Amino acid sequence: MTNLTDYLKQERNAAWREELRKSKKNKERTTIERIKMPEADPGERSRSYVEVNSGLTHEQAVGEASRCIDCANPTCISGCPVEINIPKFIKNIECGEFLKAAHTLKETNTLPAVCGRVCPQEKQCEASCFYTLKLKKDPVAIGYLERFAADYEQKSGNVSIPAVAESNGIKIGVIGSGPAGLAFAGDMAKFGYKVVVFEALHEIGGVLKYGIPEFRLPNNVVDVEIDSLKKMGVEFETNFIVGKTATIDDLREEGFKGFFTGSGAGLPRFMNIPGENLVGILSSNEYLTRVNLMGAATTGTDTPVMKGKKVAVVGGGNTAMDSVRTALRLGADKATIIYRRSEEEMPARVEEIKHAKEEGVEFLNLHNPVEYIGTEDGKVKQVRLQKMELGEPDESGRRRPQPIEGSEYIIDADTVVVSVGVSPNPLIPQSLPDLKVTSWGTIEVDPDTFQSSVPDIFAGGDIVRGGATVILAMGDGRKAAASMHNYLTSKANS
Amino acid sequence: MYKVVSKKFFSDNVVSLDIEAPRIAKARKAGHFVMIRVDEKGERIPLTISSADIEKGTVNLVVQTVGVTSKKLAELEAGDYVTDLVGPLGQATHVEKFGTVLACGGGVGVAPLLPIVEALKKAGNKVISVIAARSKDLIILEEQIKEYSDEVVVMTDDGSYGKKGLITEGMEEVINSEKVDQAVIIGPGIMMKFASMTTKKHNIPSIASLNTIMVDGTGMCGACRVTVAGKTRFVCVDGPEFDAHEVDFDEMLSRLQGYKDQEQKANDDYSCVATKKRK
Ligand SMILES: Cc1cc2nc3c(=O)[nH]c(=O)nc-3n(C[C@H](O)[C@H](O)[C@H](O)COP(=O)(O)OP(=O)(O)OC[C@H]3O[C@@H](n4cnc5c(N)ncnc54)[C@H](O)[C@@H]3O)c2cc1C
Ligand code: FES
């Protein structure tokens, strides 16, 4: 993409950037140690819902920003799914222009305060930072800095509301209010469309609200972003299941000219092993929804939750880490991860694994449950485990776990959270027979335009990718908005 | 916010509410349910839509006061609002002309039975309904059920109304005097278990409408899972109706008890607060 390269070069040649580069020798920059994120004490935080990472101070942020040498060829950007102009925002932080840094982020990222907290930076931008690639040193803390700038803007009370084009009166429906839907809605509003977001649940935000816990992503951080969208004229209808409350056809009749499906991969998978339906065994979606969406841990709310003393969580992703750490906060004496591969293959963010360990979570890696054993009245009391070893790599490139014969043994557990993945939400595909879906149940779209087999329906996020990430969902939403805008414009002109 | 348009008590602890929800009223079919959250602190619970008025844009829900949420619902007056109402959810009842249908409703299960009885009757079936409860004051919707049934048998455990005996006794009586082609069973778990044993004995195809614990009602959590024909199914999206003879009722009954302790405590706390409020 030459445009991007040219744009980056131009920006890098700006006088203030040149001056800043000269102000400090690279040798000096590269000797600075990477900043450690200030964190709440593990003992205290594991019994409360305070946010674990407290965020960088101004001085810490400026110091960390000065490590970035503003490379001529910024490899970090190619590691970012939405190609944030990383050096530009970091250099803005270095010279104290925190609001400008936030604006730079928002050029390409609709939800920087969220992404700064939940992106797997160690696999993306930070993995392709000059420090990682060439110096074999700790990368610039791009994620911490992203969060810093975005938080600064949120706290400044000076959140910039993007300019919105004059209304073109065209109604667009968005199905689902997760990161894909929100990003799509924001961009379409900017183009001048009248956007209505339909959400099945009573809260807006998708996984950001019902899944990711408060100690990792406080709700108010998400709410600020939703407020901005409302100020841009985006309307939200909660308690509205497209395909049930009204069909796409009903909505077409009501004048909607295009739809974006960001309905996510919200269906929990189970393992179908004996005893899995015993009382006390639940999906991570159920566990986290009870606590995060329904406030089950707060006094005065009506929704109950299992407060197990010995909690086992099956899985190695972010959802498993969120569940096991929630178990501690609900008062578990013992909280254990059971994962069938080794730590190296864990899909969870590295930081979440580190935090879980600090908080006292036990890890039974290379283990897999094969059976649950219950009490007479049908409650789980034990898990039969099998030890695993790693064999040849499978299609995902990770080494395939294989059971070790005769290695089975039993551990006690009064609550088990199953967190072994999710499947696409089938509601929209089921209600639209013409919509092409893959054998996995994800919606088939053109990889460039995100248009589905039904021309007025576009789709993105987990409903297209299966369980993926916030940043990919958001990127999809933005690309789909651009191409739907193209599609509708060329249709109107033809 | 969804407005309560009217409210009436069927008995001391069974209340009927009409709530404004025009889209749901229009889209719903027999067998569908809604998820309701009374207030900001409330839990989400499923309730079957027992009838709807498209013109007025209302759905009718019949609630037995058992837990905190149903008590809160019963305390609402016309003009009050519930915070959230979403639907219609679940698969609609499969309605066709079977011939003679035995419709069995236990306790408050008569409310979800009503729209099904209506639909079956309208599809040209001969409908014989057996409705049962512990005692006379717990028999609900008898008049409405009568309207769409060719025959109604009322059973009470204590004999205070209709015939004395369990629902299964009333069912046997019908089955012995008439060829039944299909049965529909709705009520408390334990009643459904025994009622489906009865129809199984007589080889009568039967469906049961299950009332498991739910959180979202959209297939997202698996709280509602049951075993049917050896396979795990989600009641909120695959059901709520299943082949009664294939349902593992014992597992369902034990899963229904999952939050009993917490529910009991919440109930005590709520009664305590409510009593204080009244004083
Ligand atoms: C516990 C947990 C932790 C995670 N942690 C991370 C992390 O640290 N980093 C990261 O990058 N990713 C993480 N993920 C993954 C990430 O959250 C998802 O990839 C992302 O949210 C997908 O966004 P989406 O917009 O496609 O869908 P979702 O966020 O799933 O939103 C879909 C929304 O659509 C609604 N909906 C569905 N069907 C309908 C319908 N018919 N009508 C109306 N509304 C409908 C749903 O109710 C839901 O609110 C995590 C996921 C979970 C569950
Ligand atoms: S209630 Fe959550 S999946 Fe059925």
Side-chain angles (χ1 to χ4, degrees), chain A residues 401-417:
Chain A
Q402 293 162 344
I404 301 175
E405 286 309 318
S407 64
E408 291 181 14
Y409 69 103
I410 286 174
I411 61 164
D412 290 342
D414 56 9
T415 303
V416 177
V417 182

Side-chain angles (χ1 to χ4, degrees), chain A residues 178-254:
Chain A
L182 294 179
F184 174 88
D187 276 14
M188 288 305 266
K190 282 190 218 162
F191 295 141
Y193 293 89
K194 183 174 163 37
V195 184
V196 184
V197 181
F198 299 102
E199 170 53 54
L201 294 173
H202 58 262
E203 273 278 351
I204 303 162
V207 172
L208 306 181
K209 280 286 178 64
Y210 77 72
I212 305 180
E214 194 70 10
F215 58 81
R216 201 148 76 80
L217 177 63
N219 279 344
N220 61 352
V221 171
V222 185
D223 286 333
V224 173
E225 308 291 352
I226 294 166
D227 270 354
S228 300
L229 290 174
K230 286 184 180 159
K231 287 187 186 136
M232 291 164 70
V234 174
E235 281 174 39
F236 291 92
E237 281 216 39
T238 51
N239 297 322
F240 195 118
I241 306 180
V242 178
K244 292 273 181 190
T245 312
T247 60
I248 295 254
D249 269 336
D250 294 335
L251 295 173
R252 283 185 185 127
E253 254 169 56
E254 290 173 28

Side-chain angles (χ1 to χ4, degrees), chain B residues 221-254:
Chain B
C221 75
C224 60
R225 63 197 196 276
V226 288
T227 303
V228 183
K231 278 211 181 105
T232 295
R233 309 293 298 273
F234 287 9
V235 171
C236 68
V237 285
D238 302 325
E241 287 161 17
F242 294 98
D243 180 341
H245 299 158
E246 298 287 355
V247 174
D248 183 341
F249 282 108
D250 290 329
E251 179 190 274
M252 184 184 102
L253 284 165
S254 111

Side-chain angles (χ1 to χ4, degrees), chain A residues 288-308:
Chain A
L288 294 172
T289 299
R290 284 179 182 273
V291 176
N292 301 330
L293 182 72
M294 306 309 298
T298 326
T299 39
T301 57
D302 297 341
T303 305
V305 65
M306 308 259 170
K307 295 187 177 170

Side-chain angles (χ1 to χ4, degrees), chain B residues 262-278:
Chain B
Q262 285 108 313
E263 273 160 15
Q264 189 55 47
K265 181 169 182 312
N267 222 337
D268 295 347
D269 291 353
Y270 180 73
S271 310
C272 179
V273 174
T275 330
K276 273 192 208 137
K277 254 201 253 162
R278 255 177 247 131

